[in-house]
Amino acid sequence: MLKGKKIVLGITGSIAAYKAAYLIRALIKKGAEVQVVITPAGKEFITPTTLSALTNKPVVSHFFSTDDGSWHSHVDLGLWADCMVVAPATAASIGKMAHGIADNMLITTYLAMKAPVFIAPAMDADMYAHPSTQRNLELLKSYGNHIIEPATGFLASTLEGKGRMEEPDEIVRQLELFFSETPFSKKKILITVGPTYEKLDPVRFLGNHSSGKMGFALAKACVMRGASVILIAGPVAMHYSHPLIERIDVESAEEMYDAAVSRFPETAVAILCAAVADFRPAQVATEKIKRDGDRPLNIELVANPDIAAALGRQKRSDQLLVGFALETDHAEANAQEKLRKKNLDLIVLNSLKDEGAGFKTDTNKITLIAASGEKKEFPLKSKQEVANDIIEEIGKRI
Ligand code: PMT
C-alpha cells in the first residue's frame, strides 16, 4: 500500500525526533521513498547525516544549498509528494503551520503541499492542553490535515500521556489505512453519540452520564478507513473535527430521532451509540418549577421515540444497522432481545457491572452479538481499540 509512495517527512525540534529514524526505517521497509525536510531546531535533536543515510537522499533544511547556492524548491516538493508527514510536530511548528508563518523550509513546504498532510504532535502534556495549541490543532484539522495522535490524545480524561507522539509503527499503519481501499472507502456512516437532554423547565433537564467518548472513537475509526461520517451528537463537551465528519448537534431524543430518520437513507451503515433517554417530561414548564415546602413533586413522563427501532423498520437490504446495549443485569438476554425487537444486524453489549466499561471511562469491554447468532467477546481495551474492533467486524459485513 505504501510501495512506491513518495513521502515528505517533516521533522521539528522535539526530543521525539529520534523516533523519526524508526519511522523512516519502517516506511522504507514498506517500499516508500522518503525525503526529509528538517527545521533548524530539529537538527539539534537528530543529525542530517543519520537521516540522509537512512533515506539515501540529502536532507533539505535551507532555502539554498550552502555548497553551491542552488535553490531548494518547496514548490517542487509539494508537487512530488503523495503525502507529507510532520513527525514530530512541536507546538511552535503547529502554530506556524496553522497561521502560515513561513520562516523555514519545512513550513514553506507545508504551505505549498498539494498532497494530504499528516501531523503527529509531540510536546509535554501542559503545552498540549494549552488552549492555543488546541486551537491551532483545530485550525489545522479544519484545513483538512490529518492529526495522528495516540487514542489517549483526545479521549483521555487526564493529562497523562497527552501530547506524546504516536509510535512510528502506528503512524505507518494509519498511512497504510489511508492509502488502502477498505470496505469503508467512499461509504457514508451515521453515528449517534452522547446523551440526550429532556427539558423539564427552563433550567432543568433529565439526562445521563454519556460523555461521547465511545461514539467519537467510532467516528475516528471510520474516517481513518476512508468513510465519511454523519455524527449526530447529543450535548457533549468533545471535539473531533475532520474533513470527512459532518457533525449535527442535537439536544433531545426527538431532535436526534428527526436527524437520524431523515439522514439514514443516504448511508450504508448506522451505529447507534447514543444513550437516548427513553422518557421525557409530559409537560415542559415555561417558568422554573418552584419548590413547595417539603412536598414531593411528581413528574409525568411520556415515552420518547425509539430511534433504533424506527431505523430497523426503515432499513433497506443494502444497509447495516448496529446498536449498543448498556446493561446492568441479564446482560446477554437483554441484548439479544434488543437485537431482535429493533431489527438490528449487530449489537454491541457493554455492561456497567464490568469495571472500566460503560460511561465516561477511557476503556470499555464489549461482546458483539450478530443477528446470525455469532457471538464474540473482547477483553477490556481503550475505547479507540474497541472502536477499531467494532469497525473491523462491520467491515466484514458490508
Ligand atoms: O459516551 P460514553 O461515556 O463513552 O459511554 C458509552 C456508552 C456507555 C453510552 C455506549 O457504550 C453505550 O452503551 N451506548 C448505548 C446506551 C443505551 O442507551 O443503551 P440502551 O440499551 O438503553 O439502548 C439500546 C439501543 O437503542 C442503543 O443503540 C440506543 O442508542 C438505542 N436507543 C435507545 C433508546 C431510544 N429511545 N432510541 C434508541 O435509538
Side-chain angles (χ1 to χ4, degrees):
M1 282 160 274
L2 293 179
K3 196 166 172 23
K5 288 278 179 288
K6 301 188 182 81
I7 299 176
V8 168
L9 175 62
I11 301 175
T12 71
S14 153
I15 184 70
Y18 76 92
K19 289 190 183 175
Y22 295 98
L23 181 57
I24 293 169
R25 217 171 50 183
L27 290 170
I28 286 182
K29 215 163 136 192
K30 298 277 178 188
E33 203 181 326
V34 181
Q35 171 64 62
V36 169
V37 181
I38 193 165
T39 62
K43 286 193 280 187
E44 305 282 332
F45 292 91
I46 188 163
T47 69
T49 319
T50 307
L51 296 166
S52 68
L54 287 167
T55 57
N56 237 334
K57 285 180 194 299
V59 166
V60 175
S61 61
H62 295 106
F63 294 108
F64 300 96
S65 162
T66 42
D67 290 342
D68 56 11
S70 62
W71 169 244
H72 288 139
S73 172
H74 53 283
V75 176
D76 286 350
L77 279 176
L79 293 170
W80 172 82
D82 291 308
C83 76
M84 178 174 188
V85 181
V86 185
T90 58
S93 287
I94 285 169
K96 287 181 189 178
M97 288 160 76
H99 296 280
I101 302 170
D103 66 349
N104 65 45
M105 189 65 188
L106 189 150
I107 309 292
T108 51
T109 304
Y110 163 70
L111 291 177
M113 188 50 59
K114 295 274 178 274
V117 179
F118 297 81
I119 299 162
M123 64 201 75
D124 73 48
D126 291 311
M127 287 175 82
Y128 177 85
H130 195 279
S132 70
T133 308
Q134 287 303 310
R135 165 109 52 102
N136 288 334
L137 284 170
E138 284 307 316
L139 279 174
L140 288 175
K141 284 179 207 164
S142 71
Y143 306 153
N145 300 291
H146 303 262
I147 308 298
I148 299 186
E149 50 192 350
T152 47
F154 81 102
L155 288 179
S157 22
T158 63
L159 269 183
E160 199 190 334
K162 284 190 177 177
R164 179 173 61 79
M165 188 176 112
E166 183 57 283
E167 292 306 321
D169 284 345
E170 181 56 25
I171 296 177
V172 172
R173 201 179 75 84
Q174 295 206 18
L175 293 176
E176 283 189 308
L177 272 178
F178 180 84
F179 283 111
S180 61
E181 272 289 312
T182 76
F184 293 94
S185 307
K186 300 184 183 65
K187 291 249 165 46
K188 203 178 264 187
I189 299 185
L190 183 150
I191 302 176
T192 64
V193 49
T196 62
Y197 285 180
E198 310 300 325
K199 274 203 175 79
L200 191 56
D201 69 14
V203 295
R204 304 182 182 94
F205 59 84
L206 302 179
N208 61 65
H209 296 292
S210 173
S211 62
K213 287 180 182 177
M214 192 62 246
F216 273 69
L218 284 164
K220 184 174 179 183
C222 289
V223 296
M224 288 317 305
R225 287 160 179 80
S228 58
V229 171
I230 301 171
L231 187 66
I232 305 176
V236 288
M238 295 199 67
H239 299 280
Y240 178 59
S241 50
H242 187 283
L244 288 171
I245 297 181
E246 178 195 353
R247 176 168 170 171
I248 302 171
D249 285 306
V250 296
E251 192 172 282
S252 65
E254 285 178 303
E255 287 169 10
M256 189 173 273
Y257 174 90
D258 289 343
V261 165
S262 74
R263 302 301 300 271
F264 184 49
E266 68 194 88
T267 63
V269 181
I271 310 173
L272 307 175
C273 182
V276 186
D278 276 312
F279 300 96
R280 67 177 186 277
Q283 309 284 341
V284 181
T286 48
E287 305 299 337
K288 185 179 174 190
I289 299 170
K290 311 282 181 306
R291 68 180 292 165
D292 185 3
D294 284 340
R295 282 234 183 109
L297 174 71
N298 293 313
I299 301 164
E300 191 193 346
L301 299 176
V302 293
N304 264 329
D306 187 325
I307 302 166
L311 300 192
R313 288 190 294 272
Q314 203 182 331
K315 185 174 69 169
R316 297 186 306 262
S317 59
D318 63 340
Q319 289 178 302
L320 197 87
L321 188 57
V322 182
F324 270 70
L326 179 62
E327 303 299 339
T328 54
D329 62 314
H330 303 99
E332 201 177 317
N334 289 339
Q336 294 275 12
E337 177 78 356
K338 284 175 186 170
L339 181 77
R340 194 183 54 77
K341 270 196 170 161
K342 297 179 192 236
N343 193 23
L344 307 172
D345 298 291
L346 202 60
I347 196 155
V348 183
L349 164 63
N350 46 186
S351 166
L352 290 180
K353 289 265 161 72
D354 287 324
E355 199 164 326
F359 290 132
K360 287 187 177 162
T361 49
D362 294 329
T363 51
N364 205 359
K365 183 172 181 311
I366 61 158
T367 302
L368 283 178
I369 307 171
S372 58
E374 225 180 305
K375 194 180 106 179
K376 208 165 174 178
E377 273 182 56
F378 295 83
L380 186 77
K381 295 184 181 188
S382 76
K383 278 191 172 157
Q384 192 59 62
E385 289 170 313
V386 170
N388 290 340
D389 288 340
I390 296 169
I391 297 303
E392 290 301 323
E393 288 298 324
I394 291 175
K396 292 178 194 164
R397 293 170 167 83
I398 55 173

